Amino acid sequence: MYCSLSESSSTAHPSQPFVFYCMRTAQTLSGIVARRFFNTSTRIMASGKTLTVSNINPNVIKMEYAVRGTIVIRAVELEKELAAGVQKPFPNVIKANIGDAHAMGQKPITFIRQLLACIANPSLMETDKSLPSDVIEHAKAFLGSCGGKSAGAYSQSTGVEIVRKHVAEYISRRDNGVPSNSEDICLSGGASESIRNVLKLFINKGSGKKVGVMIPIPQYPLYSATIEEFGLGQVGYYLSESSNWSLDEAELERSFEEHSKEYDIRVLCVINPGNPTGQVLSRDNIETIIKFAQKKKLFILADEVYQDNVYAQGSQFHSFKKVLVEMGEPYNKLELASFHSVSKGYMGECGMRGGYVEFLNLDPEVYVLFKKMISAKLCSTVLGQAVIDAVVNPPKEGEPSYALWKKEKDDVLASLKERATLVEKAYSSIDGISCNPVQGAMYAFPQITIPQKAVEKAQSLNQQPDFFYALELLESTGICIVPGSGFGQKDGTYHFRTTILPQPELFKDMLARFTDFHTKFLAKYK
Amino acid sequence: MYCSLSESSSTAHPSQPFVFYCMRTAQTLSGIVARRFFNTSTRIMASGKTLTVSNINPNVIKMEYAVRGTIVIRAVELEKELAAGVQKPFPNVIKANIGDAHAMGQKPITFIRQLLACIANPSLMETDKSLPSDVIEHAKAFLGSCGGKSAGAYSQSTGVEIVRKHVAEYISRRDNGVPSNSEDICLSGGASESIRNVLKLFINKGSGKKVGVMIPIPQYPLYSATIEEFGLGQVGYYLSESSNWSLDEAELERSFEEHSKEYDIRVLCVINPGNPTGQVLSRDNIETIIKFAQKKKLFILADEVYQDNVYAQGSQFHSFKKVLVEMGEPYNKLELASFHSVSKGYMGECGMRGGYVEFLNLDPEVYVLFKKMISAKLCSTVLGQAVIDAVVNPPKEGEPSYALWKKEKDDVLASLKERATLVEKAYSSIDGISCNPVQGAMYAFPQITIPQKAVEKAQSLNQQPDFFYALELLESTGICIVPGSGFGQKDGTYHFRTTILPQPELFKDMLARFTDFHTKFLAKYK
């Protein structure tokens, strides 16, 4: 009767064989480059469609988000095949591609979930006599700040007032008393949304150039994808792998100079603790970056979503805000947006979509416009905001929920710390792989030596060598990692990102499967 | 030590007097127009800031979202003043500006909230013996489709699989068996997010013109705001107020012809039931629109979030998909995106942020790119997706939750229907006001005659006459409505949008306050 997408599609449908999907995707993407130069006024193409790859938003074609890219699509297919009884050389798929703790078996924090249930269904506070009193107090305070005392009412676009207040108190505690004002904080559906909102402010070609955004290489692909989508200019600066992924002033200078002819560089993004690189920046290193930003008049975006994930002896998280304020004039006048999230840390509540941005020294007129812009999106999920509230205002010592909350939090962080050490040791011990210490965050980003014959094989398939490696790994072992080319890396080097999130038993299983695969891969392409 | 936004700001801070805020905002916005023509290469302005209104994204300056605009900001201030004990000529602020049912006292549906609580805290399913068995079954089925059986795991970017399946089943039931495929459905954080995602695909200046998007006038300002933000071209077609806000083919033609020199018109947006206009399109009218879209090769965006809110005798909701499919060739080949939400209907769960888009006849290559684009946003709130699940897959007859669910749903809809009738009668009976029947949705959009002296007074204040009226109304009575100029209206006519959401007692109080104000206003400016 009519043609549904899935019936008519010859591309990218989960039921299509993967190789065919890859071929079609490759065709699409190369075809697109050619077709973009056609005059789109003849927009009703052979397909008869009004919207086609010939006239779609060109930035959507260019953007890539490797964390959910082709390898992951194939992993999902493999899971379905296994579930359907197809025989594979592995019993299960291990998704080490994404920082998704609960999907990897981490248990939720009881306090957070009790609070959420009370806010969702307030009658529980009357009927459930087993609820700790502090959970009820938190829930009532939160609901008292909601329209109609319901999480079903829209919040202000900037977020529920009491949560913004608790965030400010949290930041000030974290930063040794450096003040924070709730008016400078906007809640959002995860940190990604805030990061995208802030980057959107910079879209402006008034100077005749694209605005340039400095990002680390390797980077988290949200940045490269958003920069492409918004038509901004990517200005990559390399992290120094030999110095445990630290930043080097000379490299910042090189990158700035090299790109300043092409772009009007106005933004410097830093990810600390690092994703995908797992380093924790030293205070010295942060001061270097701040001085550089001041010299070049850059607006700093500090992605600090892994601030609770610091494992290495001697490593400590320093917020950019605290360092910048403590450095005094003129650095304390720099414009800064700092981001945090409930998706990482010890709670790992990715699906809840809670995050925030704190602004420092933002032009007040710009802030009015920012708030107007986000108002058209109405508000972020109110239950997500409740999770933020639980994270920034957890049980205090002496309250009924404190002991369990503390134990659950400490257990998660201790286990992550154990796996952070384990992953580095395991990968470093494998021939042809080197791995920096995982000081923080949730990832290792090992470098792999890919034999020349494998590189040639990959090239013959029109694939990046690390993509080829990752796909072989997936098909042979069920382990899903993300090729380094999705994050950026120095030419001629190959990496992959793996999370440290599989629970200990699965994690050991994964390392064993990996080692076996790698040995065979080296032998095969020797 | 450093300068926080709120400390340094001389604009738009809630603690600033409103008149001062308005003045400053007006200065800002007119100043912006002048400054945009400056060469932004001298971007370090007197403020010393890197990001200023002189070099910010110009589309962010232009976009407006009246539903949360100046009048609403003032209403929030008034609420705070009342709370602080300031004497006002009214006891409370009545927010009739936004379709936010829970904020206006509507109670949540028990089934939805029990389900949410179980999903948030699954241990309740063991401990709470009072839970109906169907709630537990729904919760278990939902969690079984989540990573790690936790709502804290990311979902696929398109949404939790079982919810997409339930949405497809719901659509097919709604549309008398017209098939729906879950692969064509993507969940999102409210319908707004999906609408924005789809419109984003059309950003393309390859033809040398902006892509034009046809929208009704009056319209819901999400459309005008998004069109401005994305640099698309707004192509307004007037709804016919004298024919109860229906669409007229000649007007569609006029609008298309008038704008097709300037824009490459490729999209036709329709809101049915209407926002802010409250009409329910007849099947004939929908067929006319579909024929027009086919003739002009337009992609249809059908905003159908009020599909459950139909009150008038003889009115019935017809989805664009059903009509288009039933019309057969060539109409059943048209590209369509249809949107729905959990924020409206009988549930009014705005703060939960749940919505979806169903695509029909979308180019499969475009769909691959769409899914890639949304993957960079990771996923929408999983608890919001659970609310969608509850709405599209409610208790069935014979299940333990059915009777209560049915009663609560029917009560809400009956009460809304009563208020829909009441609002039309009340406004129509007031001298100088005319009001079309509220056939559906949650709004009335009455036309007001504003006396010439009031128009002149408004002009002397550089305000739109209906803005002036709305502000006087707010300051005198505490009633917060949105001026018609925020939605668009024929030149020389004045309207306002009011919701029908205040609960019956408050609603009658509102109508009494309104009538009293309007009578005095007419007398004052006679």
Side-chain angles (χ1 to χ4, degrees):
Chain A
M1 203 167 181
Y2 72 99
C3 203
S4 104
L5 273 187
S6 43
E7 285 160 5
S8 69
S9 169
S10 60
T11 54
H13 192 268
S15 65
Q16 295 288 330
F18 181 63
V19 174
F20 183 59
Y21 165 71
C22 279
M23 283 169 56
R24 289 293 311 227
T25 306
Q27 280 174 20
T28 302
L29 296 178
S30 60
I32 282 159
V33 176
R35 271 178 281 181
R36 276 184 52 222
F37 295 94
F38 275 71
N39 185 333
T40 52
S41 66
T42 57
R43 64 183 160 75
I44 309 302
M45 313 298 281
S47 76
K49 301 290 183 190
T50 294
L51 180 64
T52 68
V53 290
S54 309
N55 63 14
I56 200 174
N57 183 339
N59 293 342
V60 171
I61 295 173
K62 284 184 278 180
M63 65 178 282
E64 288 299 340
Y65 184 69
V67 173
R68 295 200 158 193
T70 311
I71 299 276
V72 186
I73 293 169
R74 177 59 183 152
V76 173
E77 276 184 29
L78 283 172
E79 277 184 327
K80 287 186 179 164
E81 290 178 24
L82 282 169
V86 179
Q87 286 297 310
K88 297 282 165 191
F90 45 85
N92 55 358
V93 172
I94 303 177
K95 285 196 192 149
N97 60 296
I98 189 165
D100 190 359
H102 291 207
M104 289 282 88
Q106 186 178 306
K107 295 283 163 262
I109 302 292
T110 303
F111 171 75
I112 295 176
R113 297 311 193 91
Q114 286 178 330
L115 181 67
L116 266 181
C118 288
I119 289 168
N121 187 7
S123 69
L124 285 172
M125 295 189 278
E126 312 298 326
T127 58
D128 186 347
K129 300 304 176 196
S130 70
L131 276 170
S133 60
D134 53 344
V135 169
I136 293 176
E137 281 157 28
H138 275 76
K140 287 192 172 163
F142 181 85
L143 287 170
S145 201
C146 292
K149 297 189 194 299
S150 169
Y154 290 120
S155 73
Q156 296 291 315
S157 304
T158 48
V160 172
E161 199 154 316
I162 197 172
V163 185
R164 297 171 77 201
K165 188 171 149 284
H166 289 153
V167 169
E169 289 164 3
Y170 160 83
I171 291 172
S172 190
R173 281 198 309 277
R174 181 198 70 189
D175 289 344
N176 296 337
V178 170
S180 174
N181 188 313
S182 63
E183 290 293 331
D184 302 341
I185 289 154
C186 295
L187 311 183
S188 58
S192 300
E193 189 186 8
S194 278
I195 293 168
R196 292 168 57 85
N197 284 341
V198 174
L199 283 174
K200 190 180 287 169
L201 299 177
F202 289 93
I203 304 173
N204 184 308
K205 291 186 183 164
S207 72
K209 295 176 183 175
K210 284 182 177 179
V211 169
V213 178
M214 297 188 77
I215 60 171
I217 301 292
Q219 53 99 33
Y220 175 52
L222 166 71
Y223 292 95
S224 52
T226 305
I227 287 168
E228 283 290 4
E229 186 188 325
F230 290 175
L232 297 164
Q234 178 174 316
V235 179
Y237 59 89
Y238 288 108
L239 301 178
S240 169
E241 186 164 13
S242 59
S243 311
N244 196 29
W245 303 114
S246 64
L247 271 85
D248 179 294
E249 193 179 357
E251 170 57 16
L252 288 171
E253 284 281 0
R254 179 207 62 78
S255 168
F256 188 93
E257 290 313 316
E258 193 174 309
H259 292 89
S260 56
K261 291 157 214 93
E262 189 178 0
Y263 301 130
D264 176 21
I265 305 173
R266 291 168 56 197
V267 184
L268 173 61
C269 296
V270 188
I271 310 172
N272 179 45
N275 176 5
T277 39
Q279 85 283 19
V280 177
L281 295 179
S282 70
R283 190 180 164 114
D284 266 6
N285 218 182
I286 293 172
E287 290 194 7
T288 301
I289 297 162
I290 290 172
K291 286 178 185 163
F292 176 80
Q294 202 276 329
K295 192 163 62 176
K296 305 293 188 189
K297 301 288 176 205
L298 300 176
F299 190 120
I300 301 175
L301 262 63
D303 180 339
E304 298 174 325
V305 301
Y306 297 98
Q307 57 190 257
D308 287 330
N309 298 98
V310 175
Y311 316 114
Q313 197 76 30
S315 284
Q316 193 191 336
F317 170 74
H318 301 278
S319 79
F320 268 75
K321 179 185 171 193
K322 187 189 70 170
V323 176
L324 179 157
V325 168
E326 289 177 354
M327 285 169 75
E329 296 264 6
Y331 308 106
N332 60 3
K333 293 285 185 289
L334 277 177
E335 291 149 86
L336 170 74
S338 160
F339 307 94
H340 194 19
S341 166
V342 303
S343 300
K344 312 301 170 186
Y346 61 92
M347 50 284 178
E349 292 279 12
C350 308
M352 299 295 172
R353 314 312 296 129
Y356 69 77
V357 54
E358 183 191 26
F359 289 110
L360 188 71
N361 297 321
L362 188 65
D363 184 312
E365 289 179 329
V366 168
Y367 197 38
V368 171
L369 293 171
F370 180 83
K371 288 191 278 193
K372 183 186 73 173
M373 181 182 81
I374 63 171
S375 78
K377 295 182 173 188
L378 296 158
C379 69
S380 66
T381 155
V382 172
L383 291 177
Q385 296 181 39
V387 179
I388 302 173
D389 201 45
V391 168
V392 297
N393 185 31
K396 292 174 190 61
E397 215 163 339
E399 291 179 347
S401 298
Y402 181 78
L404 180 61
W405 171 81
K406 179 84 166 53
K407 183 186 181 317
E408 289 176 341
K409 175 187 174 180
D410 290 349
D411 285 354
V412 169
L413 290 175
S415 174
L416 285 171
K417 182 176 179 171
E418 186 192 322
R419 282 173 274 164
T421 313
L422 190 62
V423 77
E424 177 207 345
K425 281 198 186 143
Y427 286 119
S428 294
S429 72
I430 299 172
D431 188 34
I433 296 190
S434 64
C435 184
N436 273 326
V438 179
Q439 297 176 321
M442 297 177 164
Y443 315 100
F445 197 66
Q447 184 170 155
I448 36 175
T449 310
I450 297 185
Q452 187 53 29
K453 276 191 186 164
V455 172
E456 285 160 15
K457 177 75 187 273
Q459 285 164 344
S460 75
L461 296 167
N462 205 17
Q463 291 173 356
Q464 293 286 340
D466 52 5
F467 177 94
F468 172 75
Y469 180 91
L471 191 55
E472 291 261 304
L473 175 70
L474 176 64
E475 296 286 354
S476 309
T477 66
I479 300 172
C480 179
I481 53 164
V482 188
S485 45
F487 304 89
Q489 54 199 351
K490 284 205 167 170
D491 281 350
T493 68
Y494 305 113
H495 298 78
F496 62 88
R497 187 186 84 164
T498 176
T499 72
I500 59 169
L501 292 176
Q503 292 296 301
E505 276 314 299
L506 188 62
F507 195 64
K508 284 169 196 163
D509 178 16
M510 178 176 93
L511 290 176
R513 288 192 214 177
F514 184 91
T515 309
D516 182 52
F517 162 80
H518 186 77
T519 311
K520 287 178 182 156
F521 184 87
L522 288 192
K524 185 172 172 189
Y525 294 104
K526 195 169 58 179
Chain B
M1 204 164 180
Y2 72 99
C3 202
S4 103
L5 273 187
S6 42
E7 285 159 7
S8 69
S9 170
S10 59
T11 54
H13 191 269
S15 65
Q16 295 288 331
F18 182 63
V19 175
F20 183 60
Y21 166 72
C22 279
M23 284 169 55
R24 290 293 309 226
T25 305
Q27 281 174 20
T28 303
L29 296 179
S30 58
I32 281 159
V33 176
R35 273 178 282 181
R36 278 185 50 224
F37 294 95
F38 275 70
N39 184 334
T40 52
S41 66
T42 56
R43 65 179 160 75
I44 308 302
M45 312 297 282
S47 76
K49 300 290 184 190
T50 294
L51 180 64
T52 68
V53 289
S54 309
N55 62 15
I56 201 173
N57 183 339
N59 293 341
V60 171
I61 296 173
K62 284 184 277 181
M63 66 178 281
E64 289 298 339
Y65 184 69
V67 174
R68 295 200 158 194
T70 311
I71 299 276
V72 186
I73 293 169
R74 177 58 183 153
V76 173
E77 276 184 28
L78 284 173
E79 276 185 327
K80 287 186 179 165
E81 290 178 25
L82 282 170
V86 178
Q87 287 297 310
K88 296 281 166 192
F90 46 85
N92 55 359
V93 172
I94 303 176
K95 285 196 192 150
N97 60 295
I98 189 165
D100 190 359
H102 290 206
M104 289 283 88
Q106 185 178 307
K107 294 283 162 263
I109 302 293
T110 302
F111 172 75
I112 295 176
R113 296 312 193 90
Q114 285 177 331
L115 181 68
L116 266 181
C118 288
I119 290 169
N121 186 7
S123 70
L124 285 172
M125 294 189 278
E126 310 300 324
T127 58
D128 186 347
K129 300 303 174 196
S130 69
L131 275 170
S133 60
D134 54 343
V135 168
I136 293 176
E137 282 157 27
H138 275 76
K140 286 191 172 165
F142 180 85
L143 287 170
S145 200
C146 292
K149 296 189 195 297
S150 168
Y154 290 120
S155 72
Q156 295 293 313
S157 303
T158 48
V160 173
E161 199 154 315
I162 196 172
V163 184
R164 296 171 76 201
K165 188 171 150 282
H166 288 154
V167 169
E169 290 165 3
Y170 160 83
I171 291 172
S172 189
R173 282 198 308 277
R174 181 197 70 189
D175 289 345
N176 297 337
V178 171
S180 173
N181 189 312
S182 64
E183 289 293 331
D184 302 341
I185 289 154
C186 294
L187 312 183
S188 58
S192 301
E193 190 186 8
S194 278
I195 293 168
R196 291 168 58 84
N197 284 342
V198 175
L199 283 174
K200 191 180 286 168
L201 299 176
F202 289 92
I203 304 173
N204 184 309
K205 291 185 183 164
S207 71
K209 295 175 182 176
K210 285 182 177 181
V211 169
V213 179
M214 298 189 77
I215 59 172
I217 301 293
Q219 53 99 33
Y220 174 52
L222 167 71
Y223 292 94
S224 51
T226 304
I227 287 168
E228 282 291 2
E229 186 187 324
F230 290 175
L232 296 165
Q234 178 175 317
V235 179
Y237 59 87
Y238 288 106
L239 302 178
S240 169
E241 185 165 12
S242 59
S243 311
N244 197 29
W245 302 114
S246 65
L247 270 85
D248 178 295
E249 193 180 357
E251 169 57 17
L252 287 170
E253 284 282 0
R254 179 206 63 76
S255 168
F256 188 93
E257 291 313 316
E258 192 175 310
H259 293 89
S260 57
K261 290 157 215 92
E262 189 178 1
Y263 301 130
D264 176 20
I265 304 172
R266 291 169 55 197
V267 185
L268 173 62
C269 296
V270 188
I271 310 172
N272 178 45
N275 176 5
T277 39
Q279 85 283 21
V280 178
L281 294 180
S282 70
R283 189 179 165 113
D284 267 5
N285 218 181
I286 293 173
E287 290 194 8
T288 301
I289 297 163
I290 290 171
K291 285 178 185 164
F292 176 80
Q294 202 277 330
K295 192 163 63 176
K296 305 293 189 188
K297 300 289 175 206
L298 300 176
F299 191 120
I300 302 176
L301 263 61
D303 179 340
E304 298 175 324
V305 300
Y306 297 97
Q307 57 191 260
D308 287 329
N309 298 99
V310 176
Y311 317 114
Q313 197 76 31
S315 284
Q316 194 191 336
F317 171 73
H318 301 278
S319 79
F320 267 76
K321 180 185 171 193
K322 186 189 70 170
V323 176
L324 179 158
V325 169
E326 289 177 354
M327 285 168 76
E329 295 265 5
Y331 308 106
N332 59 4
K333 293 286 184 288
L334 278 177
E335 292 148 86
L336 170 74
S338 160
F339 307 94
H340 195 19
S341 165
V342 302
S343 301
K344 313 301 170 185
Y346 61 93
M347 49 283 177
E349 292 280 12
C350 308
M352 298 296 171
R353 314 311 295 129
Y356 69 78
V357 56
E358 182 191 27
F359 289 110
L360 187 72
N361 297 321
L362 188 65
D363 183 313
E365 289 180 328
V366 168
Y367 198 38
V368 171
L369 293 171
F370 180 83
K371 288 191 278 194
K372 183 186 72 171
M373 181 183 81
I374 63 171
S375 78
K377 294 182 174 187
L378 296 157
C379 69
S380 66
T381 155
V382 173
L383 291 177
Q385 296 181 41
V387 179
I388 302 174
D389 201 45
V391 169
V392 297
N393 185 31
K396 293 175 189 62
E397 214 164 341
E399 291 179 347
S401 298
Y402 181 77
L404 180 61
W405 171 82
K406 179 84 166 52
K407 183 186 181 316
E408 290 177 340
K409 176 186 174 180
D410 290 349
D411 284 355
V412 169
L413 290 175
S415 174
L416 284 171
K417 182 176 180 170
E418 186 193 321
R419 283 173 274 163
T421 312
L422 191 62
V423 77
E424 178 206 344
K425 282 198 184 138
Y427 285 120
S428 293
S429 71
I430 299 173
D431 188 33
I433 297 190
S434 64
C435 183
N436 272 327
V438 179
Q439 297 175 322
M442 298 178 164
Y443 314 101
F445 197 66
Q447 183 170 157
I448 35 174
T449 310
I450 297 185
Q452 186 55 29
K453 275 192 187 165
V455 171
E456 284 161 15
K457 178 73 189 274
Q459 285 164 345
S460 76
L461 296 167
N462 205 16
Q463 290 173 356
Q464 292 285 341
D466 53 4
F467 176 93
F468 173 74
Y469 180 91
L471 193 54
E472 291 261 306
L473 176 70
L474 176 65
E475 296 286 353
S476 310
T477 66
I479 299 172
C480 179
I481 53 164
V482 188
S485 45
F487 303 90
Q489 55 199 350
K490 284 205 168 172
D491 281 350
T493 67
Y494 304 113
H495 299 77
F496 61 89
R497 187 185 84 164
T498 176
T499 73
I500 58 169
L501 292 175
Q503 292 296 300
E505 277 315 298
L506 187 63
F507 194 64
K508 284 168 195 163
D509 178 16
M510 179 176 93
L511 290 176
R513 287 193 215 178
F514 184 92
T515 307
D516 182 53
F517 162 81
H518 186 76
T519 310
K520 287 178 181 158
F521 185 89
L522 287 192
K524 186 173 170 186
Y525 294 103
K526 194 169 57 179

